Amino acid sequence: MLLNDLAWTSAAVGAAAGRNEKIALLAATMTGLAGDEVGSGVSYLAGVVPQGSIGLGWSTLAELPDPAGVATITVSEFDDWLTGVAGTRGPGSKEQRKSLVDDLFGRMTEQEQLFASGLLLGDLRQGASQGVMLSAMSVAWSVPLTDVRRAMMLSGDLSATVRACTDGLTALRGITLTVGTPILPMLASTAPSAAAALAQIQRPQLEWKLDGARIQIHKRGGFVVAYTRGLNVADVPEAIATVSTFPAANLILDGEVIGVDPDGRPMPFQETMGAFAQDGSVATVPLAAFYFDVLHVDGVDLIDLPLEERLVALDRIVPAEARIPRLVTTDAAEAERFLHDAVAEGQEGVMVKSLDAPYDAGRRGKSWLKVKPVHTLDLVVLAVEWGSGRRAGTLSNIHLGARSGDDFVMLGKTFKGMTDEILTWQTERFLELETHRQGRVVYVRPEQVVEVAVDGVQTSSRYPGGVALRFARVRRYRHDKTANTADTIETVRSLLSR
């Protein structure tokens, strides 16, 4: 199959209004993929690069050669090209990658260039969520959706699940929970308060939501390995050493790792992630692991059992000091006090979980709800980028700044929280404020105030103000405020200590 076919399907899916239409478009294209193209082709449609990070960023893809008039590149050729770019390392690799980009993108049609750029920058935004993709796979190969979902949950590998779909139901059901093979973590939805979360769950349990990094620990005999949320191997020697002493020969635990200071209080998320990601930094930033779930114990899979039963096994295996604090209550006032205590101890908030729920790996349902304080800031838009995928033709990603004297300093970017109506309005608004352009970036007069919600801020050497926003999303544009009333950089920096 030609890469152009995937590109046009992606564009059509992005333009499709209904879920069923998206599924039909994806399924029709999936069935046209040849055997050796299926795994990678479906991954590309899902916005996933199987090769992982290949070292191509915005600066490399900002200026591309003129597109070709005829489509000639196959899915397999594109896959081989990505593998080659991923393997380009060492002195001169930047120039070599740029040469590889110019060569292949010069042979791409305009639609292929848009698709490939969006894919490589993680900016495809075609509305093909994992749920839509799995439904399309079910339709394409006539296998039950429940089996497709379970295979994806247990393998954590879209390509492997696709290949099993092509081999039929027996192959799909042959994918089972295996100690040593990470599975997708269960995810949580959001509730505005502890009381609101209690109202949604019949038999609730609260636990602290740590401001750390998710880990999944697998123990098989004397071998222990940890995995990140993204299912990559994690370097957490302290956690591995501790789990090796737990009274189970075979074990899968779900938990969180955080950096701790000499007093045992959690360190900022940024410092935890620095220690978590870099070899050798663990010695200067101690990491402590805490566990809240168990998925397998000595030959018995627990994921289909209710949380209440899984916790009995967790308490039997994991000592109290390595378990996350929890509380069973239906009293809203008691729940709010528990949330307040968690935040006072430097944690992010609380999780509210159903004691009756199984471990629904890889899915974000209503059985787990996260509650955490939300900070809002009034910031000024400094620039905005043209969107791609379903946002093509609109100004999307906004650059956010805080007041600093008579000027403004950039704190980060976001495209989160924007409805179609906001996108339409801001495209017109920012073109009116435009001062100049650089590539896909439109710079504007710093006049428009936007209210954003953030989970906090972190220190940053990337921005001149020394701080960057964490998980910023648009709440509303403040037409009632002027730029000289926006929040200052001092106000933003004060969030570092909260």
Side-chain angles (χ1 to χ4, degrees), residues 11-93:
V13 169
R19 177 185 173 89
N20 289 339
E21 184 181 356
K22 293 177 187 289
I23 291 170
L25 287 165
L26 290 164
T29 301
M30 288 177 185
T31 55
L33 289 163
D36 60 346
E37 301 172 331
V38 171
S40 58
V42 173
S43 295
Y44 300 149
L45 285 173
V48 175
V49 178
Q51 291 85 352
S53 176
I54 64 170
L56 292 180
W58 176 254
S59 60
T60 308
L61 299 171
E63 296 184 11
L64 297 174
D66 292 335
V70 180
T72 59
I73 301 169
T74 65
V75 174
S76 293
E77 184 179 359
F78 183 60
D79 192 50
D80 291 341
W81 178 84
L82 285 173
T83 302
V85 174
T88 303
R89 296 288 186 268
S93 59

Side-chain angles (χ1 to χ4, degrees), residues 178-223:
T178 304
V179 179
T181 299
I183 71 170
L184 293 172
M186 185 170 177
L187 304 174
S189 298
T190 301
S193 67
L198 293 184
Q200 297 183 53
I201 294 179
Q202 188 172 7
R203 296 184 65 229
Q205 175 202 266
L206 288 81
E207 66 188 35
W208 286 7
K209 186 179 190 305
L210 307 189
D211 193 15
R214 190 84 171 262
I215 58 167
Q216 189 179 117
I217 298 271
H218 289 238
K219 178 185 180 184
R220 186 174 60 239
F223 177 73

Side-chain angles (χ1 to χ4, degrees), residues 270-284:
Q270 185 180 15
E271 295 188 38
T272 292
M273 291 308 296
F276 189 59
Q278 298 175 16
D279 295 339
S281 58
V282 174
T284 56

Side-chain angles (χ1 to χ4, degrees), residues 144-471:
L145 179 57
T146 53
D147 290 288
V148 178
R149 284 176 174 163
R150 188 170 181 86
M152 181 63 196
M153 172 187 82
L154 296 176
S155 70
D157 186 330
L158 182 62
S159 294
T161 304
V162 171
R163 290 191 293 270
C165 284
T166 64
D167 291 335
L169 191 56
T170 300
L172 263 184
R173 292 178 176 173
I175 296 177
T176 58
L177 183 62
T178 304
V179 179
T181 299
I183 71 170
L184 293 172
M186 185 170 177
L187 304 174
S189 298
T190 301
S193 67
L198 293 184
Q200 297 183 53
I201 294 179
Q202 188 172 7
R203 296 184 65 229
Q205 175 202 266
L206 288 81
E207 66 188 35
W208 286 7
K209 186 179 190 305
L210 307 189
D211 193 15
R214 190 84 171 262
I215 58 167
Q216 189 179 117
I217 298 271
H218 289 238
K219 178 185 180 184
R220 186 174 60 239
F223 177 73
V224 182
V225 61
Y227 297 97
T228 66
R229 178 189 178 109
L231 310 187
N232 299 311
V233 173
D235 182 18
V236 284
E238 297 101 328
I240 289 172
T242 302
V243 170
S244 67
T245 68
F246 290 174
N250 296 283
L251 184 64
I252 302 178
L253 292 169
D254 195 359
E256 196 94 357
V257 64
I258 60 173
V260 292
D261 65 18
D263 296 326
R265 285 182 59 83
M267 301 183 74
F269 176 78
Q270 185 180 15
E271 295 188 38
T272 292
M273 291 308 296
F276 189 59
Q278 298 175 16
D279 295 339
S281 58
V282 174
T284 56
V285 181
L287 294 176
F290 299 89
Y291 303 98
F292 52 78
D293 218 326
V294 58
L295 315 183
H296 177 96
V297 180
D298 289 337
V300 180
D301 293 340
L302 307 181
I303 58 175
D304 293 322
L305 297 180
L307 173 62
E308 188 172 39
E309 294 184 38
R310 300 199 306 275
L311 290 176
V312 172
L314 183 76
D315 292 351
R316 176 171 54 86
I317 294 165
V318 179
E321 62 270 17
R323 300 196 301 263
I324 289 178
R326 59 183 195 253
L327 170 71
V328 175
T329 186
T330 56
D331 182 83
E334 189 176 16
E336 290 293 344
R337 285 194 295 272
F338 189 74
L339 169 61
H340 179 271
D341 291 344
V343 174
E345 289 295 322
Q347 305 302 343
E348 196 174 16
V350 296
M351 300 287 295
V352 182
K353 299 180 177 180
S354 169
L355 288 167
D356 298 321
Y359 191 91
D360 202 357
R363 304 202 66 194
R364 191 183 301 279
K366 297 296 184 181
S367 297
W368 287 12
L369 300 173
K370 56 186 174 182
V371 182
K372 52 188 179 180
V374 175
H375 307 286
T376 62
L377 294 167
D378 290 332
L379 302 174
V380 176
V381 178
L382 306 179
V384 60
E385 299 172 11
W386 287 105
S388 59
R390 68 179 300 270
R391 293 191 177 188
T394 62
L395 289 172
S396 176
N397 205 8
I398 56 176
H399 297 201
L400 300 164
R403 282 193 297 128
S404 179
D406 296 328
D407 204 352
F408 299 89
V409 290
M410 187 172 172
L411 303 170
K413 311 175 186 180
T414 189
F415 56 81
K416 302 290 187 182
M418 297 176 182
T419 63
D420 289 342
E421 290 75 16
I422 287 177
L423 287 167
T424 299
W425 176 86
Q426 73 179 28
T427 300
E428 182 178 349
R429 169 63 170 161
F430 293 134
L431 288 177
E432 293 174 352
L433 298 177
E434 179 182 354
T435 60
H436 64 285
R437 300 188 186 191
Q438 184 175 348
R440 296 171 62 89
V441 181
V442 177
Y443 291 88
V444 300
R445 297 193 303 274
E447 298 178 7
Q448 181 61 55
V449 178
V450 60
E451 181 183 320
V452 296
V454 298
D455 286 2
V457 299
Q458 62 189 33
T459 58
S460 172
S461 59
R462 180 177 183 182
Y463 298 118
V467 292
L469 306 175
R470 287 186 57 196
F471 306 112

